[in-house]
């Protein structure tokens, strides 16, 4: 256990009579009695004035730390707990000694806001280490990594418009992160970038081809963990519609059945018009018993309600030809 020296007497500031907070912080390292680097706590500023903020910076915490527990006083009694953070569950819990002015950061550092004279005293940080650490005496089974979750900073990305940050949760200092797209390991590219610790994947200007699925895996020396892959729902399109069948010369008296298709997410809504007059709002257009006055331009409009884009395709159809009298011939076959 290491201790900080109390600050020496300090001057007056701004006419306010104040007293430095005695921030003697004692440390208990749990399960890891022989850390390679010594954990230290540095109060910033070293001597705080009343009604200012003090940050208790935690340096050199073990890579195997999985929890930070702060107590008021030289004690680790539950009743004196201020606040704690579990890296595994990513949960911050407040204890009986929480005053509402403390903020715990995920790196263990504790921010004290608007300190009062009564805050003067000892503060104790207890760290909980993963039992894999050197010299650890385990109580429970092996420390398994939690199943990671992927969070996206935009749940409705649009093609060509949005860049996305995919983050693998939770942040675990001793784990490594591995990303896969379509089961292939990702490496940095023109349009994607991994953060320094590989925890965040940034996709620049997404396209429909970036749909995925994406997987994030956390690994430590004894285990690996992952969850079901995530597929992105990237809105795009519609592309220019295609009208089928492609024929443009049709005989009178037959039926005209035209269908319109356009690649789009979510699926496009379709509508038709003929020579500038709106027809029905369906994907298929059906006109029975064609006559020459059905010749003209048929326009299919595809609309995507999310991207709010419209695309149209025009097809000119001519109904021509005239039925002639039917000719039949009777053939006799001699026995
Ligand atoms: C962290 O530990 C290293 C190695 O023990 C030491 O050299 C360094 O000064 C420490 N840093 C702090 C801020 O305590
Ligand atoms: C811990 O996090 C806080 C808030 O993000 C930051 O101000 C501080 O510098 C961090 N401490 C260390 C030792 O990195
Ligand atoms: C904290 O308390 C323990 C015994 O409970 C004592 O050995 C230690 O010296 C105390 N630390 C400080 C800084 O007073
Ligand atoms: C700081 O605390 C004092 C009482 O101790 C209160 O009067 C003041 O409004 C607080 N300031 C802020 C910024 O919360
Ligand atoms: C991951 O997501 C699941 C389901 O959405 C949720 O129950 C779980 O708490 C999340 N875990 C973390 C570490 O965010
Ligand atoms: C998501 O993150 C990317 C990359 O950092 C950024 O360009 C984009 O603006 C972010 N989107 C939102 C909605 O915050
Ligand atoms: C990040 O991932 C790449 C491969 O995707 C790997 O080569 C690299 O070593 C990883 N970096 C870290 C810090 O895990
Ligand atoms: C998607 O990939 C296909 C096939 O590689 C390519 O033809 C197409 O242009 C890509 N689309 C976009 C929007 O990048
Ligand atoms: C994709 O997102 C759109 C809205 O942005 C929504 O209408 C659609 O249902 C989503 N599709 C899936 C498969 O979640
Ligand atoms: C055209 O559509 C009509 C009505 O929907 C249908 O009865 C007919 O079989 C269709 N003809 C062809 C060639 O698809
Ligand atoms: C088709 O239209 C022609 C006139 O354009 C009419 O003589 C004929 O009876 C119609 N056939 C049917 C099946 O409606
Ligand atoms: C075409 O002419 C027929 C009568 O020959 C008529 O019933 C029909 O409404 C006309 N269609 C159009 C599109 O003008």
């Amino acid at each position: 256990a290491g201790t900080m020296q109390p600050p020496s007497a300090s001057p007056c500031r701004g006419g306010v009579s104040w007293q430095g907070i005695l921030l003697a912080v004692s440390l208990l390292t749990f399960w890891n009695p022989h850390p390679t680097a010594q954990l230290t706590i540095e109060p910033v500023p070293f001597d705080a004035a009343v009604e200012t903020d003090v940050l208790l910076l935690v340096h050199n915490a073990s890579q195997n730390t999985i929890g930070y527990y702060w107590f008021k006083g030289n004690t680790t009694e539950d009743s004196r707990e201020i606040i704690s953070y579990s890296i595994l569950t990513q949960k911050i819990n407040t204890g009986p000694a929480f005053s509402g002015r403390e903020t715990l950061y995920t790196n263990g550092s504790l921010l004290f806001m608007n300190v009062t004279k009564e805050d003067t005293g000892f503060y104790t940080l207890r760290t909980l280490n993963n039992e894999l650490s050197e010299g650890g005496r385990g109580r429970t089974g092996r420390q398994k990594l939690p199943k990671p979750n992927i969070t996206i900073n935009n749940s409705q990305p649009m093609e060509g418009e949005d860049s996305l940050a995919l983050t693998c949760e939770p942040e675990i200092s001793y784990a490594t992160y591995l990303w896969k797209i379509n089961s292939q390991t990702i490496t940095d590219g023109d349009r994607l970038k991994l953060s320094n610790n590989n925890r965040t994947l940034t996709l620049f200007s997404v396209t429909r081809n970036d749909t995925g699925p994406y997987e994030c895996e956390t690994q430590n020396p004894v285990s690996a963990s992952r969850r079901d892959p995530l597929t992105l729902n990237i809105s795009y399109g519609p592309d220019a519609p295609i009208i089928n069948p492609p024929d443009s010369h049709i005989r009178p008296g037959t039926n005209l059945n035209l269908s319109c298709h356009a690649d789009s997410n979510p699926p496009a809504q379709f509508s038709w018009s003929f020579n500038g007059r709106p027809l029905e709002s369906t994907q298929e257009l059906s006109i029975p018993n064609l006559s020459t006055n059905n010749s003209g331009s048929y326009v299919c409009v595809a609309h995507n309600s999310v991207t709010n884009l419209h695309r149209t395709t025009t097809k000119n159809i001519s109904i021509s030809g005239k039925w002639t009298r039917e000719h039949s011939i009777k053939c006799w076959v001699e026995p």
Side-chain angles (χ1 to χ4, degrees), residues 5-28:
Q5 295 304 310
S8 50
S10 310
C12 296
R13 274 187 206 154
V16 182
S17 164
W18 63 285
Q19 208 179 331
I21 299 184
L22 183 64
L23 284 166
V25 185
S26 83
L27 303 178
L28 295 174

Side-chain angles (χ1 to χ4, degrees), residues 328-333:
S328 53
I329 184 164
K330 188 170 188 183
C331 298
W332 294 97
V333 181

Side-chain angles (χ1 to χ4, degrees), residues 248-305:
S248 52
H249 293 277
I250 303 180
R251 289 170 303 164
T254 57
N255 298 333
L256 175 64
N257 288 0
L258 294 177
S259 80
C260 191
H261 290 274
D263 197 3
S264 175
N265 181 39
Q269 289 141 7
F270 297 94
S271 57
W272 290 92
S273 65
F274 172 66
N275 286 344
R277 277 183 294 116
L279 299 176
E280 57 234 73
S281 294
T282 54
Q283 190 168 4
E284 311 241 331
L285 180 68
S286 191
I287 299 169
N289 197 12
L290 292 169
S291 63
T292 50
N293 67 358
N294 295 119
S295 295
S297 44
Y298 289 83
V299 176
C300 170
V301 182
H303 175 234
N304 179 324
S305 59

